[in-house]
Amino acid sequence: MIKAIQKPSVAVHKFSSCDGCQLAFLNLGEGLLDVMELIDVQHFVEAGAINEHAQVDIAFVEGSISTPDEQERIQNVRRNSRYLITIGACATAGGVQALRNLNNVHEWAASIYAKPEYLSHLPTVTPISQHVRVDLELWGCPVTSHQVLAAIRALLFGVAPVQDHDKVCLECKRQQTICTLITKGSLCMGAVTRTGCGALCPSFGRDCYACYGPAEASNTAALAHRLEGLGLPRDAVARRFLFINNAAPAFAEVGKQLLGGK
Ligand code: SF4
Ligand code: SF4
């Protein structure tokens, strides 16, 4: 059960990521000042607040786990927070850095670095939920200010944050956006991708590349078949699924099948 929180203390933690999701806060501009009246920011390095071990009501976590140090740090974050919310594709479904799970990371490192033994990394990159309990996952690469604010607002009122599970295609229909797959034969992933972005890419006439991850009950095999029918080679179809959200089971399963069970 969720209890309303008066002026919750908040921490924003970064793991392996590009920092883009933290901008969902900073991009609020002047609105950020209003938000700061409602929350007590204890730790948010990009905004100048540093108190990594603070006990907080809400911890926002950006990034995936790729090093032994991060493996330990996420346990501390979990211990120190009442609600843990992942923000973005990296934290929620691996991110682009988790693509290295498809190959041998030690061979890759050796082919790039003269002294790979100085690198400290885990053999695989994994989303936060594979290490600790996660209370809410916000999808997207990056997440939007709207998503983050909606989560904070819900917790302030003591209600469960509402999750978008619909497909991007449904959002296109609601907005009367013309389907790019049917009219242009574009390689759109909207039929299997959760909305939350407002069908942003199709509204500008371009295909969705699934940055919000898998939608509920999506028929990934049928879309893969359709993309092959549009002339995309099988391994390229696999890469449409094994991209930013490659650790999301619904995408990982079909992507790996297309690659021949790698
Ligand atoms: S989800 Fe995308 S924008 Fe967010 S940290 Fe990862 S790569 Fe950057
Ligand atoms: S339309 Fe697809 S790729 Fe574009 S922002 Fe939305 S989910 Fe991401």
Side-chain angles (χ1 to χ4, degrees), residues 46-229:
E46 277 210 14
I50 303 179
N51 185 2
E52 190 182 348
H53 300 291
Q55 299 261 349
V56 293
D57 294 308
I58 311 173
F60 288 97
V61 175
E62 176 196 83
S64 45
I65 304 297
S66 70
T67 67
D69 164 68
E70 289 180 337
Q71 223 173 3
E72 276 179 35
R73 205 152 53 83
I74 193 61
Q75 299 296 335
N76 286 331
V77 170
R78 178 67 269 187
R79 271 194 292 276
N80 289 338
S81 50
R82 191 162 149 201
Y83 296 110
L84 189 156
I85 301 177
T86 57
I87 51 171
C90 296
T92 307
V96 78
Q97 60 273 24
L99 285 171
R100 72 172 164 82
N101 298 350
L102 297 171
N103 282 287
N104 184 319
V105 65
H106 299 294
E107 282 175 16
W108 274 12
S111 69
I112 295 166
Y113 296 97
K115 301 267 185 197
E117 60 272 24
Y118 290 118
L119 297 177
S120 171
H121 55 76
L122 295 167
T124 55
V125 176
T126 39
I128 300 299
S129 63
Q130 289 192 23
H131 298 265
V132 293
R133 178 171 55 80
V134 171
D135 298 298
L136 177 69
E137 294 178 322
L138 299 181
W139 295 76
C141 179
V143 291
T144 62
S145 303
H146 171 76
Q147 286 169 281
V148 170
L149 280 186
I152 293 174
R153 189 183 157 90
L155 291 172
L156 283 171
F157 283 105
V159 296
V162 176
Q163 284 272 48
D164 274 311
H165 296 290
D166 277 355
K167 297 165 182 71
V168 168
C169 286
L170 288 179
E171 191 59 37
C172 284
K173 302 299 170 287
R174 286 189 201 111
Q175 295 181 9
Q176 301 188 4
T177 295
I178 293 170
C179 178
T180 64
L181 186 142
I182 289 174
T183 60
K184 297 186 190 169
S186 75
L187 306 169
C188 189
M189 299 286 285
V192 298
T193 303
R194 72 169 60 209
T195 188
C197 65
L200 186 62
C201 300
S203 73
F204 285 95
R206 63 150 298 169
D207 50 296
C208 165
Y209 55 92
C211 82
Y212 270 66
E216 198 170 58
S218 51
N219 192 340
T220 49
L223 182 67
H225 187 64
R226 182 81 174 98
L227 296 181
E228 275 195 89

